[in-house]
Amino acid sequence: MDRAESVRGRQPGARYALVLCTSIYFLSYVDRMAPQSVKEDIINDFGLKDSQSALPTTCANAVYPIAAVIAGWMVDTALVDCRTLLTIALVVWSVCTALTAFSQHLGQLILLRMFVYAGEAAFAAIAFPLLADFYPKRELTAMYGILMLGMPLGVSAGFAAGGVVGSAFGWRAALCLCGVPGLVLSCFVPRMTLPSKSTISERAVGSTSGPRRVSLDDALQEYCEIFSQPHWLVAISGGALLTFGLSIAAEWVTVYYIRYADSSLEEATLMMSLRTLFGAGLATLLFSRLAQHYSMSIQNINFLVPAVFTIPGVAFAYIENNTPQHKSIMYSAAFAGSFFQYSFNGPMTAVMMQAIRPELRGRAFSAWLAIQRIFDMVGPLAAGIASDHVGLRTAMQIIWMVLLATDLCWWAGYMLTPLKADQEVDKQAATTYYSLLFEASEAKDSRCAGVAAASEKSHLCGNLGQKTHEYASVP
């Protein structure tokens, strides 16, 4: 497997790392969404107002950016092996997810959710830059499309687990059950190999130069470099707006179904689960493949795909939030809206990594996570406050308005000067590929005259540039 990965330009162990990180990413969203699926039960159990019920998510999201920045800095400066940090993060958030089931008041619920989000932040700050080191640039969009499948699948599973288990045994049993799988997955993290040429792995495993020390001036210059990259800046701007809108939907949509469409808890959580699974899940895979397929023929395709397909997503979001009296129309619009709204997932993550040089990716992605969580923190609380004053149905109108603003960001990104396409082949892969050619040539040396064999070998070397270009286009 490692040899096949090397020939394709990947680092050894790339497939194992992708499967493991996708599984953990999936689980992070299960643990994150399970409390949202039983939100109405928690409100009734603790006697909370709508605005109070949003405090656990709000406070947890306040911790998320801090934890993400610290984790990204620790990995980039080699203070700890990224596998060790990832294992600790996974264990912490899994244990705290299970302990949430024993909360006796709002304060305990808030504290435990803060630890859950801190662990998830550390994982995201490590995994996304690390996987970029495993794969060549030409495969990043497709690779992140697979990784980002963890989000819609995890959201779907979280709502399904919360709805089914919560309805049968109560919300506490649902949250306790969700904490178990993470402890199992943590056993597989230490077995992950690190990419041999990764700036992350070279520092994390303890290079001879030791931890990388960065002065304050150098750190400020590096962050200025990150925030001055226009493609990265547009990508995080659109992503932040979209996070604001989608966080409102994730927090309040099941409550909206129950209150205005007379849906039961089982029905509301089932519809949320299915729309995420078949809408967002399918969209993440399909649109990532679409952007990957046309990446060499259409400039800024990673911006163009979400720019085009977010437009119908806006229309369907408006229909969903204004037709609760017609369940069939509302649910159909919800399915279609989720499909188009998640067209950004793989393409935008690829842009964020392609736009930043490798040694800054950890901090760049941590900065994005910090910004994302600020908007994720404000969205549910803003909708909760608005719901207390004007009603939840009016507050939900924010979603389609934010989606419209997001689409404008995607179009702005499409108008930028295209990022330089990656035309270079990974040296290790090229060496492996051409060693096969020369092995064949050496075998022929034993059967042919020396001059003829030498001439053939020279011919191979003379065409190295042409063959390398052909190799770079191998899917």
Side-chain angles (χ1 to χ4, degrees):
M1 181 182 296
D2 288 349
R3 187 175 181 87
E5 289 175 342
S6 179
V7 170
R8 293 176 65 90
R10 303 170 185 169
Q11 292 285 338
R15 192 171 301 176
Y16 181 91
L18 179 58
V19 171
L20 178 62
C21 289
T22 302
S23 301
I24 298 174
Y25 196 49
F26 162 83
L27 186 61
S28 73
Y29 273 90
V30 173
D31 293 347
R32 190 181 305 180
M33 292 297 111
Q36 267 70 296
S37 68
V38 292
K39 186 180 181 70
E40 192 75 353
D41 288 349
I42 295 176
I43 290 175
N44 295 332
D45 196 3
F46 289 164
L48 305 176
K49 296 179 180 179
D50 284 349
S51 55
Q52 291 176 315
S53 70
L55 288 177
T57 301
T58 300
C59 295
N61 278 311
V63 173
Y64 196 106
I66 300 173
V69 170
I70 293 174
W73 173 73
M74 290 175 68
V75 172
D76 275 351
T77 55
L79 291 180
V80 63
D81 188 315
C82 62
R83 293 167 295 191
T84 302
L85 184 58
L86 181 55
T87 303
I88 294 173
L90 183 53
V91 170
V92 167
W93 100 53
S94 298
V95 170
C96 289
T97 297
L99 290 178
T100 304
F102 302 96
S103 301
Q104 298 301 313
H105 53 76
L106 181 61
Q108 292 178 352
L109 184 63
I110 290 174
L111 180 62
L112 289 169
R113 295 307 290 171
M114 290 170 68
F115 277 102
V116 171
Y117 276 50
E120 293 177 356
F123 160 74
I126 297 168
F128 281 78
L130 179 64
L131 287 174
D133 294 325
F134 273 107
Y135 288 83
K137 284 187 176 181
R138 65 180 181 276
E139 292 189 348
L140 286 184
T141 302
M143 182 272 291
Y144 281 120
I146 295 173
L147 176 65
M148 295 300 287
L149 275 176
M151 179 170 71
L153 295 179
V155 171
S156 176
F159 275 99
V164 174
V165 180
S167 299
F169 303 102
W171 66 270
R172 296 180 185 276
L175 297 186
C176 187
L177 180 64
C178 288
V180 177
L183 299 177
V184 177
L185 274 180
S186 65
C187 300
F188 294 90
V189 177
R191 299 178 59 187
M192 179 174 62
T193 59
L194 297 180
S196 60
K197 298 181 181 179
S198 165
T199 54
I200 291 179
S201 65
E202 286 173 358
R203 293 193 290 260
V205 299
S207 61
T208 56
S209 59
R212 178 173 174 261
R213 301 185 181 277
V214 181
S215 67
L216 179 60
D217 289 341
D218 290 339
L220 291 176
Q221 290 179 1
E222 289 174 347
Y223 274 107
C224 287
E225 177 185 338
I226 292 170
F227 280 90
S228 64
Q229 217 297 326
H231 299 81
W232 186 84
L233 198 57
V234 171
I236 67 163
S237 298
L241 288 172
L242 195 59
T243 297
F244 182 85
L246 294 180
S247 67
I248 295 175
E251 186 84 9
W252 291 106
V253 72
T254 55
V255 179
Y256 171 78
Y257 290 164
I258 293 170
R259 291 183 184 178
Y260 294 96
D262 293 327
S263 302
S264 64
L265 174 62
E266 296 91 335
E267 180 183 336
T269 53
L270 177 62
M271 293 309 301
M272 184 63 182
S273 176
L274 292 177
R275 66 179 277 186
T276 309
L277 177 62
F278 294 107
L282 181 61
T284 298
L285 185 60
L286 177 62
F287 291 117
S288 296
R289 291 294 181 180
L290 180 65
Q292 178 77 23
H293 182 74
Y294 290 102
S295 60
M296 299 302 294
S297 57
I298 301 178
Q299 294 181 340
N300 282 337
I301 186 64
N302 285 327
F303 282 110
L304 181 61
V305 166
V308 170
F309 291 102
T310 300
I311 296 175
V314 175
F316 285 118
Y318 177 84
I319 295 171
E320 177 192 2
N321 294 324
N322 288 280
T323 58
Q325 68 276 16
H326 303 290
K327 279 190 178 182
S328 59
I329 296 176
M330 180 186 71
Y331 287 147
S332 298
F335 271 80
S338 293
F339 177 77
F340 291 110
Q341 292 157 17
Y342 278 87
S343 59
F344 78 100
N345 247 354
M348 282 304 103
T349 307
V351 168
M352 291 180 192
M353 292 301 165
Q354 291 172 345
I356 302 298
R357 54 191 173 99
E359 56 268 33
L360 298 182
R361 284 174 180 165
R363 274 159 289 175
F365 200 77
S366 298
W368 153 238
L369 291 175
I371 296 169
Q372 181 189 43
R373 291 308 155 185
I374 291 173
F375 283 80
D376 205 1
M377 172 181 63
V378 174
L381 182 61
I385 294 173
S387 177
D388 286 342
H389 291 83
V390 298
L392 183 58
R393 181 173 178 177
T394 302
M396 295 292 281
Q397 304 302 316
I398 299 173
I399 297 175
W400 68 266
M401 297 179 185
V402 171
L403 287 172
L404 182 60
T406 301
D407 193 53
L408 296 178
C409 286
W410 302 151
W411 283 111
Y414 175 66
M415 301 302 293
L416 292 173
T417 301
L419 283 169
K420 183 179 180 181
D422 180 43
Q423 300 294 339
E424 297 181 358
V425 181
D426 181 83
K427 291 182 180 179
Q428 179 183 355
T431 301
T432 303
Y433 178 76
Y434 282 101
S435 67
L436 300 177
L437 296 182
F438 280 99
E439 285 173 8
S441 178
E442 291 293 344
K444 193 170 183 177
D445 280 347
S446 63
R447 300 190 305 269
C448 304
V451 175
S455 176
E456 180 177 348
K457 192 178 297 184
S458 175
H459 176 72
L460 286 172
C461 293
N463 287 280
L464 179 62
Q466 178 182 352
K467 293 294 183 181
T468 300
H469 177 75
E470 293 173 0
Y471 169 78
S473 64
V474 174

